[in-house]
Amino acid sequence: MSVTLNLFGQLRHIADADEVSIDVATDSTLLSTLKALAGNYDDSFSTMLFDESGAVRPTMMVLINETTIDKANPPSIQDGDQITLLSAIAGG
Amino acid sequence: MIPLNDEEKATYEWQMWARGFGETGQEKLKNSSALVSRLGGLGGPVAQELAAAGIGKLILAHGGNLKHSDLNRQILMKYDGLGTPRIDQAVEHLLAINPRLEIVAIGENISEDNVDALVEQADIVFDCAPLFEERFAMNRACVEQRKPLIDAAMFSLEGQVTTIIPGETACLQCIYPEVPTSWQREFPVFGAVSATAACIAVMEGIKLLSGMAEPSLKGKMLYYDLRGMAFHKVNTQRNPECPICKDC
């Protein structure tokens, strides 16, 4: 199945893309989907997205189909989902 | 409440025509105070728009001298001021727009040492700092003093704004539980992107201070992308275990 990831902040900067579509297995979780995404880029992308334990950083806001999700209890991933990753920013 | 004088009625006539604002809203704004930290690409236009709109008092905090790399966005500054304190240029610029404005100017940035006393002087706080440590200090002080905090930020062609009401909405540390280790002090920035966030933040503040309307970003985060001219709003979530606001 295919999911689309919308990238904001530093993730967008590293990926040099606003939006990325990837194909993932039908039983994919949020974490496995994000790991698959990160595999397309250099280590700085993973460092930005995941903490030392491999979990999504607490400072990263994750939305699925424009709804903020609880990263500790993410919903299952469906074909056609739009996943948005908002990295913390503080520029002025 | 100090009433508007004739000069103020003439100055603000056109904005007093806005629905729900009127002379009552203008009078409330005149009798209000705001803390703005800092006065760069974001805080500069925040302070400028508040001054132009007729707020009564600004508390301003910004350290350091003007550099060339500030001039693409810091609209309170001028070329002739290179090498001189930014806070002095900001005060001069703001008083040139509105000589009735009362200003408390601090030539240093927000820290845990000065934040409580600065927030205490303000009815509302505009968080425009480039470091999360400063943002968290203002957030903590606002929660403790039950003051509204408008948090605005940008990166590259993107920006975001949220209105935090302690006890009602998520606080900044509910949204970001820790200082993001990835954030770097230097970042890509266009002045127009910063100023967009600034103007949105100011309208949230004016709505709150004047009572003209409910702030649209209370408990919500607006994020925008000026590359694709896309604007989105999402709900922010309170964290019941937040060490800053769980008892608020």
Side-chain angles (χ1 to χ4, degrees):
Chain A
M1 63 183 182
S2 175
V3 296
T4 302
L5 294 111
N6 301 304
L7 309 177
F8 284 85
Q10 292 136 303
L11 288 177
R12 174 182 289 195
H13 201 64
I14 295 169
D16 195 22
D18 305 352
E19 183 183 292
V20 180
S21 291
I22 58 172
D23 292 321
V24 293
T26 50
D27 58 349
S28 292
T29 63
L30 174 67
L31 193 59
S32 68
T33 302
L34 297 183
K35 296 271 185 192
L37 170 73
N40 295 328
Y41 304 105
D42 66 27
D43 289 348
S44 61
F45 192 95
S46 290
T47 304
M48 187 78 62
L49 186 52
F50 303 114
D51 65 17
E52 293 70 20
S53 73
V56 178
R57 287 194 179 277
T59 52
M60 186 70 59
M61 286 179 73
V62 181
L63 288 68
I64 297 182
N65 302 325
E66 301 218 346
T67 300
T68 311
I69 59 123
D70 176 3
K71 294 191 288 289
N73 297 292
S76 58
I77 301 298
Q78 308 294 324
D79 184 39
D81 275 351
Q82 296 261 343
I83 302 173
T84 301
L85 302 173
L86 293 171
S87 53
I89 59 173
Chain B
M1 192 172 296
I2 304 169
L4 302 178
N5 60 34
D6 288 344
E7 182 183 77
E8 288 164 334
K9 287 179 185 174
T11 303
Y12 304 117
E13 182 183 16
W14 288 26
Q15 75 188 27
M16 289 193 293
W17 294 338
R19 183 167 57 88
F21 190 65
E23 196 168 318
T24 303
Q26 190 66 52
E27 204 168 86
K28 286 181 182 171
L29 196 57
K30 172 184 177 170
N31 287 275
S32 298
S33 56
L35 167 63
V36 184
S37 168
R38 301 182 196 187
L39 299 168
L42 190 46
V46 165
Q48 178 171 277
E49 293 298 339
L50 287 170
I55 196 164
K57 179 179 176 182
L58 285 176
I59 302 103
L60 308 173
H62 198 141
N65 294 341
L66 184 66
K67 308 182 297 293
H68 277 98
S69 60
D70 298 326
L71 285 169
N72 76 320
R73 65 194 182 283
Q74 300 192 6
I75 58 169
L76 303 186
M77 312 301 158
K78 55 189 179 188
Y79 185 85
D80 288 350
L82 282 166
T84 68
R86 282 179 287 186
I87 191 73
D88 295 343
Q89 295 176 68
V91 170
E92 183 184 343
H93 182 107
L94 295 168
L95 288 175
I97 295 170
N98 180 356
R100 299 169 299 278
L101 184 62
E102 180 186 351
I103 297 180
V104 175
I106 312 292
E108 58 190 62
N109 298 323
I110 292 281
S111 69
E112 280 294 348
D113 294 333
N114 62 20
V115 69
D116 293 313
L118 293 171
V119 169
E120 203 170 285
Q121 299 177 63
D123 297 318
I124 192 169
V125 176
F126 290 87
D127 177 1
C128 308
L131 296 174
F132 277 95
E133 289 82 353
E134 289 177 51
R135 288 176 180 262
F136 282 178
M138 279 181 274
N139 179 63
R140 185 211 30 89
C142 284
V143 169
E144 287 179 7
Q145 298 184 33
R146 305 292 193 270
K147 301 274 177 79
L149 173 71
I150 315 291
D151 187 88
M154 60 74 58
F155 178 88
S156 194
L157 270 64
E158 301 158 40
Q160 58 190 39
V161 183
T162 185
T163 297
I164 295 168
I165 309 291
E168 293 183 44
T169 70
C171 79
L172 190 63
Q173 214 149 337
C174 293
I175 301 169
Y176 305 124
E178 60 190 37
V179 172
T181 53
S182 57
W183 180 251
Q184 296 179 336
R185 174 63 187 84
E186 295 183 347
F187 44 85
V189 51
F190 276 95
V193 182
S194 300
T196 300
C199 291
I200 291 167
V202 167
M203 280 318 302
E204 284 291 279
I206 287 175
K207 284 187 268 183
L208 264 170
L209 293 169
S210 71
M212 75 179 289
E214 184 76 2
S216 314
L217 301 177
K218 178 179 159 185
K220 296 179 188 300
M221 179 180 284
L222 172 78
Y223 63 98
Y224 63 82
D225 162 27
L226 296 191
R227 191 179 298 271
M229 290 298 173
F231 288 71
H232 307 268
K233 271 195 286 189
V234 294
N235 293 324
T236 57
Q237 315 286 343
R238 281 196 82 175
N239 173 7
E241 302 303 319
C242 175
I244 301 302
C245 74
K246 67 180 176 187
D247 298 324
C248 183

